[in-house]
Amino acid sequence: MSHTLGVRQAQKQRTRRALLDAGLRLLEDQSLSSLGLREVTRVVGVAPAAFYRHFRDMSDLGVALVEESLGSLHGVVRVILAERYGDEELIDATVEAVAELVRRYPAHIRFIARERHGGVRPVREAIAAELGRFADEVAEAFAPQLTAEGWSPEDVRMLAELYVDHMVMTATAFLEAQPGDQPGDRSGGRPGEESGGPSGDPESVRRVAATARRQLLLISRGRRHWRTG
């Protein structure tokens, strides 16, 4: 009996994974608000009724994709913030980490960029909540030094949100520097797997990286002269 239950559970997990991957692939060319449940189940090869064994509706699938797409970004930032780099080394590490995420998971980044201000409210709220938790982590890392320098908790949080917004903006810029419809760009690769996505036009990628570094350097230098009002 336990073996049978294990087989069924494994099959259920495979079907759920297939639905997420199919949804992500289909969202390469459209928004979640325009994607139909039957489109997703047709790609997977299951009956529409089977969808409801895994997700309440398409919004629920979208929220699951948000958690998956931004989960890896949390891990990357925790590693970067745990290191004791100088400002420029930390900036270089941050920009390279964002570039690597876009190279490996372009479909996930495209999904977040499109749906962050999209038409499906639960997904917008899920993205905002994940980015908010991301900002909490950055603020917690910055707080000891900045509080000692006289920063208020509100201003520490404001700075953390600025870094988070910049990271999302940079990820979107790296994504736009990649050519569309290239082999591997629609792999549906997920965090933990190589997507084989394109590296993009080298000169465009270099420009995006250079701009991101200069912007972060400006933020870094400006914060040294900030005084809580």
Side-chain angles (χ1 to χ4, degrees):
M1 177 66 73
S2 60
H3 174 71
T4 301
L5 289 174
V7 170
R8 289 177 179 173
Q9 184 63 28
Q11 180 58 47
K12 183 176 181 179
Q13 289 300 318
R14 285 194 293 271
T15 302
R16 175 184 169 86
R17 181 70 260 162
L19 290 167
L20 287 167
D21 289 344
L24 191 61
R25 288 196 298 274
L26 291 167
L27 288 168
E28 291 278 346
D29 299 311
Q30 59 185 305
S31 65
L32 184 63
S33 60
S34 67
L35 180 61
L37 180 154
R38 290 180 180 275
E39 293 179 75
V40 177
T41 55
R42 186 162 52 245
V43 169
V44 177
V46 298
F51 179 93
Y52 294 106
R53 298 180 194 140
H54 306 275
F55 304 102
R56 293 187 300 274
D57 50 29
M58 288 300 296
S59 295
D60 195 30
L61 182 145
V63 170
L65 285 174
V66 169
E67 294 170 353
E68 180 175 278
S69 299
L70 290 177
S72 59
L73 191 58
H74 281 286
V76 168
V77 171
R78 277 194 291 268
V79 170
I80 293 172
L81 292 175
E83 299 295 335
R84 293 294 183 257
Y85 299 110
D87 279 351
E88 293 195 24
E89 290 81 4
L90 181 58
I91 286 170
D92 287 343
T94 301
V95 173
E96 179 53 38
V98 174
E100 179 63 17
L101 277 175
V102 176
R103 282 193 294 266
R104 295 180 67 185
Y105 316 122
H108 287 88
I109 302 301
R110 184 175 292 108
F111 167 73
I112 293 298
R114 177 179 287 148
E115 300 299 331
R116 187 182 185 188
H117 305 293
V120 180
R121 182 174 179 179
V123 174
R124 287 200 315 271
E125 292 175 344
I127 293 173
E130 285 293 321
L131 293 179
R133 283 189 283 272
F134 186 8
D136 288 341
E137 293 170 12
V138 176
E140 183 178 358
F142 285 170
Q145 177 184 347
L146 295 181
T147 301
E149 295 174 4
W151 283 57
S152 69
E154 294 77 16
D155 282 359
V156 173
R157 172 69 187 202
M158 177 182 67
L159 179 65
E161 290 173 353
L162 182 58
Y163 273 97
V164 170
D165 285 342
H166 182 272
M167 191 166 291
V168 174
M169 179 185 70
T170 298
T172 303
F174 274 125
L175 185 67
E176 291 173 351
Q178 295 183 349
D181 294 325
Q182 294 291 324
D185 192 31
R186 299 172 183 276
S187 64
R190 54 190 179 272
E193 294 184 358
E194 293 288 350
S195 74
S199 59
D201 173 61
E203 183 56 34
S204 296
V205 171
R206 279 194 293 270
R207 284 198 297 268
V208 170
T211 298
R213 289 187 183 100
R214 287 172 61 83
Q215 290 169 337
L216 282 173
L217 190 58
L218 177 63
I219 294 170
S220 179
R221 290 179 178 174
R223 84 181 195 186
R224 297 174 190 169
H225 302 283
W226 180 259
R227 294 292 180 270
T228 296

